[in-house]
Amino acid sequence: MQESGENYLETILILKERNGTVRSIDIANELGYAKPSVSRAVKLLEQKDLIVMEHNGELILTQKGLDMANAIYERHKIISKFFVEILGVDKKSADADACRIEHVISEISFNKIKEFIKGKAFLSPDRR
């Protein structure tokens, strides 16, 4: 999935947690996008079976969409935490950088950062 689609899923998840419900206008306001752009993205996410739009306009993540959104958001939180707690980056910069990196980091590198954050050794035994 492209970065923009991942951003929409993550935003829907965050807005749902924050507000309880999510509509297209909420996404437009949160991301600063035009309503027609959000409408196009919502249609694409619906076609990919990642979200459902209820009759009242509420956007609901499908299980597939929820799984993807949670994985993306986990990446964001862990990368941001790594930057803040390990590297000493300020929270605002860490969040901005994590937002970009979460979409391109390899699974291997992400898992190593995740292990490190959780207090596990981040180097394999043969590299210590």
Side-chain angles (χ1 to χ4, degrees), residues 13 19 26 32 45 49 60 81 87 101 109 117 121 125:
L13 177 69
N19 304 332
D26 301 322
L45 293 173
D49 197 31
I60 307 290
K81 184 176 183 175
L87 302 180
I101 292 168
S109 294
I117 288 291

Side-chain angles (χ1 to χ4, degrees), residues 79-91:
I79 293 167
S80 181
K81 184 176 183 175
F82 178 77
F83 287 163
V84 170
E85 294 182 9
I86 307 303
L87 302 180
V89 175
D90 67 276
K91 179 80 169 123

Side-chain angles (χ1 to χ4, degrees), residues 4 7-13 15 19 21-35 37-39 41-42 45 51 57 59:
S4 63
N7 278 334
Y8 278 97
L9 291 176
E10 183 180 24
T11 300
I12 292 168
L13 177 69
L15 289 172
N19 304 332
T21 61
V22 182
R23 289 183 165 67
S24 294
I25 189 67
D26 301 322
I27 297 169
N29 291 336
E30 182 76 10
L31 297 176
Y33 295 165
K35 289 184 256 181
S37 297
V38 174
S39 292
V42 164
L45 293 173
I51 63 170
L59 301 176

